[in-house]
Amino acid sequence: MTSSPYRMPAPYRMPGAMFDAVAAGGGGAEALRLLARAEHSRRLACAWAVTEAAGRAGGRVAEDAARAWELLTAAARTAPDAAAAVLTHPTAGPLLFEVLSRLTRPRRGEEPSVARFTALAAAAAVRAGLPGRTPLPVDGVWVALPGLGRARFPGATAADRAEVRTDPEGGSRIVLRAPDGTEDIVLPPAPYRATPVPPSPYPGAGRWHGARLLTTLEGGAPLLLDVVDRPSFPHAAVRPDGIGPREAATWAAVAREACALLRAGHPQVYEELAAGERLLVPLDRPGPGIVSGSSAETFGCVALSLPGTPAGFAVTVAHEMQHNKFAALLHLFDLFDPGGPERFYAPWRPDPRPLLGLFHGAYAHLGVARFWNRRREREAEAHARFEAHVQFARWRLAAREATLVLLASDRLTPLGRRFADRMLDTLDALCRLPVPPPALHRAESAARAHREAWHDRHGGTDGERMLTA
């Protein structure tokens, strides 16, 4: 069995004051950086779990996993930041957990494979500038280096074999070899070298497709746009040829304005956004409004449809960053007892939600209420200021209502109760702030209409009533 050269880190300790600050809806850049380090440790532990599970399976899959682990650790020894950047890319989490799931719970008739784990290790080696050759899986016409980009090979077949080759000078190329021995080569531009580690993935050129840089945040953190593999975001927009320059330019224009808005009027949200690399994944919008989402294993990533305004972009990012923080926090702490058949009314959803979903949503909408509270002070035009009042009143009420339901549940741990109590403290303070009566009336009317529609659909007389699934 391959031994691990890493010392697996002890559980991360979050200072009590920082925990309370996060629970209150904030936390700042320091908290985001701590959560990012914890997520890196989680990915590293999962990579080792893949190696061990493959070792128990034996045969070729064990040999392939051992080689991938050795490659990953060699990259980490040569260029630790480069290897960490690949391992913490949002696609790495779903990739590793999918490979681990296929090894520990194999599907009938399916031979386990660690090819995608090998590709992840190869990406770390490329970014570290390690010379060598590593096989890569072919997915249709695409060959990917997870976290870096993907090469397009028109006419590729299932019989073709791909590999990445890195020369002693650190230059890399992806080669597709046909059964007859002919080779097709894609040269990614501006290859990574061991030092310095570039701040963003490879740019796109020719048949190489990388993430698009939308803007650079304070401190040098990039805000990127990219399509990712389907296991990461199953509902992500389909872009067979990647994201073109025109679409990227449209996203970049509104992203720059949104980031300027956050920096000027929402410094803590901007500080958290700028605490590390952030990836946006485009979603197709089936109807009016903005569609967005996050995933527990894709820290640093937000999926969203293209917002029509900078304010819409900014509040969506603020909302999903709350989900990012809460998901990472749940990887560190048990805030409630899992399981349970209860389903709860959520003032922002048409469907009953499990406790996890209610907790996630309440925390996210706490962030939304904080956002709109500050917009009330910043909007210059009367109609925009009125809308900010409405949104603030609507979501402070919704988040507080849900938080009270959480606290009434008997499934919160002592730490979870402390977290929810801090949420409630913030929401109580927000609910004491004055709102113009017309805006308050509209917000309360919207809340009643949502509750009535939910009752018509699901029954019951109390909006905080638990439903048994």
Side-chain angles (χ1 to χ4, degrees), residues 86-125:
V86 171
L87 199 59
T88 55
H89 188 273
T91 59
L95 183 157
L96 288 167
F97 278 92
E98 182 192 30
V99 173
L100 183 60
S101 176
R102 296 289 181 88
L103 288 168
T104 56
R105 295 186 294 276
R107 299 174 183 176
R108 181 175 296 180
E110 179 182 77
E111 184 177 350
S113 170
V114 293
R116 298 184 74 213
F117 179 41
T118 298
L120 186 71

Side-chain angles (χ1 to χ4, degrees), residues 4 33 45 62 168 199 353 358 462:
S4 171
R33 284 192 283 267
R353 303 294 289 157
L358 189 71
D462 184 354

Side-chain angles (χ1 to χ4, degrees), residues 253-288:
V254 68
R256 284 193 293 268
E257 289 189 53
C259 290
L261 181 151
L262 288 173
R263 185 174 184 179
H266 308 263
Q268 189 175 69
V269 176
Y270 181 83
E271 177 187 329
E272 292 179 357
L273 184 68
E277 179 179 293
R278 300 289 178 251
L279 178 68
L280 304 182
V281 176
L283 296 177
D284 288 328
R285 183 170 55 201

